[in-house]
Amino acid sequence: PPRNLVTVVGLAVGNAGARLTGREYRAYAHDPELMHRVLRERGLAPHVLRRGPAWQVLAATRGLAA
C-alpha cells in the first residue's frame, strides 16, 4: 500500500484490533520507493500496473540475457 492517510489509519486500526484480540500478526506498509530500489538493485525492473487510494499493484520483470 502507498503511505497515505487512508493506509496509515487503516493499518493502525487493524493492528489495534489484532492486539486487543490477542493476535500476534501486525500489518506494515513498506516505503514503496525503498521497495522499488531493492528490486532494481537485484536486477528487476518494477512497473506499477495500478495505483489506488489504499493499494497499488506492481510487477517486476528481469531482462532477458543475450
Side-chain angles (χ1 to χ4, degrees), residues 32-46:
E33 288 305 315
L34 175 62
M35 292 176 66
H36 294 187
R37 187 173 74 220
V38 168
L39 289 169
R40 283 189 210 95
E41 288 171 356
R42 285 159 177 75
L44 296 164

Side-chain angles (χ1 to χ4, degrees), residues 5 7 22 29 40 45 53 58:
L5 186 60
T7 57
R40 283 189 210 95
L58 177 111

Side-chain angles (χ1 to χ4, degrees), residues 1-3 32-33 36 47-58:
R3 288 213 175 163
E33 288 305 315
H36 294 187
H47 306 282
V48 175
L49 302 178
R50 181 179 174 276
R51 288 185 194 268
W55 204 258
Q56 61 181 285
V57 177
L58 177 111

